[in-house]
Amino acid sequence: MNSAAISFPDRESLADKLQAFGEADQSYVMLIMENPLQDDNLLEGLHLHLDRQATAPFLNSMKLDRLGHWFGDKAPARLQIRLSEVARSSQHPAYQAFKAGLTRSGGLERAYPKA
């Protein structure tokens, strides 16, 4: 594979999809999550989206909570730890709202059950 195929989609387009996050956007993100080569681009887009929300004049914490819950429910096991790292990477309320939804979904516990 060439590097152009791996870098598609860029982080800006993924952040835009996460901002709108309608049914078509959810399907798009699900398709991206199916390909392990796209994990870094997905997480960079998520970081950019959360950074944009952190600098927005209005923080929609309910939407970020739902986004975190959706990722916790839908993301494959290989992404659950990395999503948790993204959620813990800042103390800003935008990241904390995402983390609350991610934790509430129980995705990490399902992916890695306690022994």
Side-chain angles (χ1 to χ4, degrees), residues 18-73:
L18 294 174
Q19 174 63 35
F21 215 57
E23 280 190 43
D25 302 318
Q26 290 176 7
S27 297
Y28 179 80
V29 173
M30 286 289 294
L31 184 64
I32 298 300
M33 286 192 296
E34 289 178 7
N35 185 355
L37 296 174
Q38 299 296 332
D39 289 355
D40 290 335
N41 292 336
L42 175 71
L43 295 171
E44 287 177 14
L46 179 59
H47 264 294
L48 180 61
H49 173 66
L50 292 172
D51 288 342
R52 286 178 181 173
Q53 295 303 306
T55 59
F58 175 74
L59 178 64
N60 191 342
S61 59
M62 288 180 61
K63 186 175 181 182
L64 291 169
D65 182 87
R66 282 194 311 264
L67 181 67
H69 193 275
W70 184 87
F71 267 107
D73 282 343

Side-chain angles (χ1 to χ4, degrees), residues 76-92:
R78 71 174 193 280
L79 285 174
Q80 292 296 332
I81 288 177
R82 295 182 73 188
L83 288 169
S84 295
E85 290 171 352
V86 168
R88 291 189 314 239
S89 66
S90 175
Q91 292 298 316
H92 190 277

Side-chain angles (χ1 to χ4, degrees), residues 8-19:
F8 174 83
D10 62 349
R11 66 186 209 136
E12 287 83 13
S13 64
L14 278 168
D16 293 341
K17 295 283 186 188
L18 294 174
Q19 174 63 35

